[in-house]
């Protein structure tokens, strides 16, 4: 049973997120169906570095799966892409992995990018890919507030109430807000994130950007350890998983 | 009858191009229907800086229309966007224009960008927005060949046989090919272009990028003044109108 590492790109629009769901089509389902057509017998199970919610995009999700026959990685990539061609899911890279390598447990970092389009006109070209906010935001204030979340903290205030992680402690390595014209980008990096953590941080930073919250209130919200103390959850469509880090690059 | 200048963003996917057609929904039709809901009586006609083909995108198409009542430009923008909200068409800016200002005849320059995604995996995030080519292209060779098309020439070899322009003479001010990772960008600027000129130039440059044509053959194709001497038409989906230039910025 050779194990393969895959790097996946997908547009989350119209998909029910990474994980197989009772209703709606998930990325996992699309990939597993394609991989199962390449296997000799057993249906194939795929494990991802993390779950993405419905509507969230990925530029480089990492996944592993075991096949009951050996296929050259480039052929595996092309065959999976052929079988997934009617979906907005593509395998960018494939590699043979060690049998004990695990897309989720071997990962040591995740990176996300959240994009806000701040302008009066709704997006035509970036529809479904950004959070549309119809006015300018104070980006330096948002960035200053973001810095108060860096480091190791109890992130209960920014955690979905449905979050299943055992501990609310996380170490936020990077949270930076920048602007390029009408596009505002929030980049977030950590070993791992709590459920909805990035979207809840962005929804809170937006209150600062609108001038409804002073910068210092974000640190107070963090200290409160209470979900009700922080801002609302930013919509899924602005979020993209941009990369997963491993001690050794599985595709090198 | 006040005249308004509008800057439009649209995703060409699923639309039949700028111009009203017997079949399919055009950008003109979407905009005119929205504008007609704001007029007191007459149906409203809109005139664009140029036509874009079915599937071609625009980041900043410029259009004019006359309304039989005065509306503040920001309100006009918002009202049009409201009525066009189910389509991938948005008004970015609106301004009052002089009665003799003409979106097409007053324009002194058009800029386009063509994007090629050169990698084995088909696009998931950029589906419908790029030309997918499944191998790397020689970008420096494409750029060298592009330079041989600069200046004033008879562009018959790069003109659609259906082109209705009286003269095949055009002055190409800029044609540059660059690469950012897997994305190859061709930027083209001229006072005006012939029908399919950008797509025919890109389809020809791709032959150079693949090594099927030597760089010098592009100049020979130009000199031949024969459509059959140049390469095929690149697909519409990679093309975006990025801007229209006027002696005085209508939105300033």
């Amino acid at each position: 049973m050779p194990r393969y590492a895959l790097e996946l790109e997908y547009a989350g629009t119209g998909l029910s997120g990474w994980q197989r769901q009772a209703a709606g089509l998930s990325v996992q389902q699309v990939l597993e169906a394609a991989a199962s057509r390449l296997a000799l017998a057993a249906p194939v199970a795929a494990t991802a570095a993390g779950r993405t919610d419905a509507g969230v995009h990925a530029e480089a999700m990492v996944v592993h799966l075991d096949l009951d026959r050996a296929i050259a990685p480039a052929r595996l990539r092309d065959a999976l892409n052929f079988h997934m061609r009617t979906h907005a899911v593509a395998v960018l890279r494939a590699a043979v992995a060690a049998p004990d390598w695990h897309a989720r447990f071997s990962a040591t970092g995740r990176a996300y990018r959240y994009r806000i389009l701040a302008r009066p006109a709704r997006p035509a070209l970036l529809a479904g890919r950004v959070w549309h906010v119809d006015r300018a935001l104070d980006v330096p204030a948002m960035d200053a507030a973001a810095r108060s979340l860096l480091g190791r903290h109890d992130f209960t205030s920014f955690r979905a109430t449905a979050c299943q992680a055992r501990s609310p402690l996380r170490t936020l390595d990077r949270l930076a807000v920048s602007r390029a014209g009408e596009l505002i980008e929030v980049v977030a990096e950590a070993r791992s994130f709590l459920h909805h953590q990035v979207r809840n941080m962005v929804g809170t930073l937006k209150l600062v950007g609108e001038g409804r919250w002073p910068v210092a209130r974000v640190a107070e919200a963090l200290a409160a350890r209470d979900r009700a103390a922080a801002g609302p959850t930013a919509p899924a469509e602005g979020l993209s998983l941009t990369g997963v880090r491993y001690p050794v690059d599985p595709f090198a």
Side-chain angles (χ1 to χ4, degrees), chain A residues 86-107:
Chain A
T86 56
H87 302 284
V89 181
V91 176
L92 303 184
R93 298 193 284 180
V96 174
D100 63 344
W101 183 85
H102 194 284
R104 181 168 166 215
F105 299 130
S106 302

Side-chain angles (χ1 to χ4, degrees), chain A residues 85-166:
Chain A
R85 68 194 177 281
T86 56
H87 302 284
V89 181
V91 176
L92 303 184
R93 298 193 284 180
V96 174
D100 63 344
W101 183 85
H102 194 284
R104 181 168 166 215
F105 299 130
S106 302
T108 53
R110 278 89 175 166
Y112 287 89
R113 185 187 58 233
Y114 196 99
R115 293 199 295 177
I116 298 171
L117 183 67
R119 70 177 193 194
R122 60 180 173 65
L125 287 165
L126 290 175
R129 305 294 173 88
V130 291
W131 183 13
H132 176 224
V133 171
D134 68 2
R135 63 207 65 202
L137 300 178
D138 182 345
V139 172
M142 293 170 74
D143 190 53
R147 261 173 273 151
S148 64
L149 297 175
L150 291 175
R152 184 157 181 83
H153 302 287
D154 176 333
F155 279 98
T156 297
S157 301
F158 298 94
R159 171 190 196 172
T161 43
C163 180
Q164 287 164 25
R166 255 167 297 180

Side-chain angles (χ1 to χ4, degrees), chain A residues 187-207:
Chain A
V187 170
E189 293 175 16
R191 183 177 180 96
S192 67
F193 289 94
L194 298 164
H195 191 202
H196 284 181
Q197 186 182 343
V198 176
R199 291 167 58 191
N200 290 340
M201 293 190 301
V202 170
T204 304
L205 293 176
K206 184 206 170 219
L207 296 173

